[in-house]
């Protein structure tokens, strides 16, 4: 819930951020407006990848990332679910689209088209769920449910767009698309998928030869053939524009 209060500027001596994120607006009349966004102390609020400047997310990483949580489960430890919150700008409304459950863990969300998409792995049920969060009306829909056996492990298991895809990049010089199609090919161990555009995959790769530099490698979805090399890194801006930073 977002709470808005007005405080006369002459009475402000100190503003502390304790168990919330405080956004301060300085008004021409001398007052100060604050929105108190209560996400239970998770001050690592980030813009959702692939989205416009409208949706942010935060999580508590109680057992580290998705792969680290999986390792703990395989070792016989109790895995408590991380909490994941979506924060909508500018109204400051907070949503928890997937409630926590033991043996479940949530990965990094993405923005796909007009909605937020979530990656939910249930170790106890041995399934991977891709869930779509609809803002108006508020609703969570299951996009697909895959067996956890579809992947060797959850190392670098991530959602990408577009189209919406579940990918995995194990630490063995290969890249995989798990869903909606199955693709696997060899890549450089310094490459990481940036985004997908239809049948083209845009990877970021870094070099030290001897100076540090970055490059964008465009590969074909079919077999990973390199189609193009661009100097620098491509950033997708909040309005959807692509900027080549070099």
């Amino acid at each position: 819930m977002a709470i808005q209060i007005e405080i006369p500027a002459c009475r402000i001596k100190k503003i502390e951020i304790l168990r919330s994120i405080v956004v301060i607006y300085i008004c021409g009349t001398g007052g100060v407006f604050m929105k108190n966004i209560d996400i239970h102390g998770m001050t690592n609020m980030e813009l959702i990848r692939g989205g416009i400047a409208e949706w942010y997310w935060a999580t508590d990483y109680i057992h580290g990332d998705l792969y680290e949580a999986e390792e703990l489960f395989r070792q016989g430890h109790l895995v408590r679910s991380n909490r994941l919150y979506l924060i909508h700008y500018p109204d400051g409304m907070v949503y928890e689209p997937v409630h926590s459950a033991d043996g479940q863990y949530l990965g990094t969300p993405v923005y796909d088209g007009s909605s937020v998409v979530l990656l939910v792995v249930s170790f106890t049920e041995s399934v991977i769920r891709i869930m779509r969060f609809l803002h108006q009306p508020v609703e969570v829909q299951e996009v697909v449910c895959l067996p956890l056996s579809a992947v060797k492990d959850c190392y670098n298991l991530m959602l990408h767009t577009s189209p919406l895809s579940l990918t995995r990049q194990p630490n063995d010089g290969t890249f995989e698309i798990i869903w909606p199609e199955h693709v696997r090919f060899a890549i450089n161990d310094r490459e990481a998928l940036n985004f997908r555009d239809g049948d083209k995959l845009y990877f970021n790769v870094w070099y030290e030869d001897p100076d540090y530099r970055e490059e964008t490698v465009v590969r074909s979805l079919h077999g990973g053939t390199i189609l193009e090399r661009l100097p620098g890194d491509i950033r997708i801006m909040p309005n959807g524009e692509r900027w080549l930073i070099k």
Side-chain angles (χ1 to χ4, degrees), residues 120-138:
V120 184
V121 177
S122 174
F123 304 123
T124 54
E125 298 178 80
S126 296
V127 295
I128 302 168
R129 291 188 176 92
I130 299 176
M131 313 291 291
R132 186 178 298 276
F133 172 76
L134 303 178
H135 181 212
Q136 293 180 339
V138 175

Side-chain angles (χ1 to χ4, degrees), residues 142-193:
E142 183 176 283
V143 177
V144 67
C145 182
L146 305 170
L148 189 55
S149 59
V151 297
K152 180 181 178 182
D153 54 47
C154 293
Y155 189 85
N156 281 337
L157 187 67
M158 299 181 67
L159 293 172
H160 280 277
T161 59
S162 54
L164 180 64
S165 307
L166 179 65
T167 72
R168 178 175 174 268
Q169 191 169 326
N171 193 23
D172 62 0
T174 61
F175 169 79
E176 294 179 277
I177 295 179
I178 309 301
W179 178 89
E181 59 269 278
H182 192 270
V183 173
R184 179 185 173 93
F185 54 78
I187 60 172
N188 188 300
D189 59 6
R190 293 187 296 270
E191 288 184 57
L193 181 64

Side-chain angles (χ1 to χ4, degrees), residues 52-119:
I52 56 178
E54 180 182 358
W55 285 103
Y56 294 78
W57 73 292
T59 188
D60 54 9
Y61 294 109
I62 187 171
H63 295 300
D65 63 17
L66 184 56
Y67 175 69
E68 290 168 325
E70 180 187 37
E71 287 289 285
L72 288 173
F73 182 83
R74 289 185 174 184
Q75 293 166 10
H77 298 284
L78 172 66
V79 171
R80 294 168 52 203
S81 177
N82 55 332
R83 305 286 294 271
L84 189 148
Y85 295 100
L86 303 178
I87 305 96
H88 185 253
Y89 176 83
D91 56 36
M93 293 300 296
V94 177
Y95 303 89
E96 186 177 11
V98 179
H99 293 294
S100 60
D102 288 346
Q104 168 187 283
Y105 219 69
L106 286 75
T108 303
V110 296
Y111 190 82
D112 177 52
S114 59
S115 59
V116 177
V117 181
L118 305 145
L119 175 60

Side-chain angles (χ1 to χ4, degrees), residues 214-216 230-236 241-246:
E214 294 187 29
E215 183 180 65
T216 294
L230 302 169
D233 182 30
I234 297 177
R235 303 287 182 90
I236 300 179
E241 289 182 352
R242 296 174 185 175
W243 290 10
L244 179 61
I245 311 300
K246 58 183 178 178

Side-chain angles (χ1 to χ4, degrees), residues 43-49 55-58 61 87:
T43 55
N44 59 330
M45 189 176 79
E46 302 177 39
L47 182 67
I48 291 181
R49 182 164 45 88
W55 285 103
Y56 294 78
W57 73 292
Y61 294 109
I87 305 96

